[in-house]
Amino acid sequence: MIRATRILRRDMLSGGEIIDRVVLDHGDRHRRRVAMRGIGGLGFLLDLPEPAVLEDGDALVLEDGRLVWVEAAAERLLEIRAPNDRALKRLIWHIGNRHIPAEIGADAVWIADDHVLAAMVRGLGGTATQVERPFQPEGGAYAGGHDHAHPHPHAAG
């Protein structure tokens, strides 16, 4: 089985033969070694030297130099909003206190769909709307390397 042994980050892509693509959710983009199958049917072994986060738009480099495009799958999430900036910061604090992956935007936060957390957000004056979109949560203080690294071991996700 052909192996993918490194990641070519989306900002470094400048050509190359993209022969297939994989569509992966947040959890499946945190990998080191796993058998994968592209949308077009290509089977390959992801075999990286250390665990890494595959970002939307990255490419996996196969041993023969060909590329497999990485696409973030749409996931069922809660989009959390608040009436003002201070209220949103307060909601972010409560979400962070539960150690769950969260993607923080300028005026919204996205987390995995969870009815208990949705009720908490609404109880604190925010809105929690179900949406489907790719999930790019923060990596956390100990993630290292780049913006969206793997969560530390006790994080849910």
Side-chain angles (χ1 to χ4, degrees):
M1 176 177 276
I2 192 163
R3 298 180 315 137
T5 56
R6 64 188 180 93
I7 302 167
L8 188 57
R9 297 295 176 188
R10 64 179 163 223
D11 57 346
M12 300 301 289
L13 284 174
S14 61
E17 183 185 1
I18 296 175
I19 60 165
D20 208 338
R21 69 184 171 104
V22 288
V23 181
L24 306 168
D25 68 18
H26 161 251
D28 286 339
R29 291 193 319 271
H30 296 78
R31 298 291 180 189
R32 185 188 84 73
R33 191 167 200 271
V34 66
M36 294 187 156
R37 182 159 306 279
I39 297 297
L42 176 71
F44 63 97
L45 177 66
L46 178 66
D47 192 11
L48 302 174
E50 59 188 39
V53 175
L54 305 174
E55 304 270 357
D56 185 57
D58 287 346
L60 299 172
V61 182
L62 300 173
E63 293 170 304
D64 62 7
R66 297 177 301 163
L67 305 175
V68 177
W69 184 264
V70 175
E71 183 179 323
E75 299 182 52
R76 190 171 176 167
L77 304 173
L78 288 177
E79 181 177 276
I80 297 168
R81 295 185 180 271
N84 58 56
D85 190 51
R86 184 175 187 280
L88 184 60
K89 288 176 184 175
R90 183 171 177 244
L91 290 171
I92 291 169
W93 183 87
H94 282 282
I95 291 164
N97 197 38
R98 280 144 183 86
H99 300 280
I100 61 164
E103 179 180 348
I104 301 171
D107 58 0
V109 178
W110 295 269
I111 63 173
D113 188 8
D114 181 301
H115 72 281
V116 172
L117 292 175
M120 177 199 74
V121 165
R122 291 178 185 122
L124 293 169
T127 61
T129 307
Q130 289 180 339
V131 296
E132 292 233 356
R133 63 183 287 281
F135 189 33
Q136 299 282 348
E138 297 294 320
Y142 303 103
H146 62 295
D147 291 339
H148 303 293
H150 60 281
H152 44 282
H154 72 274

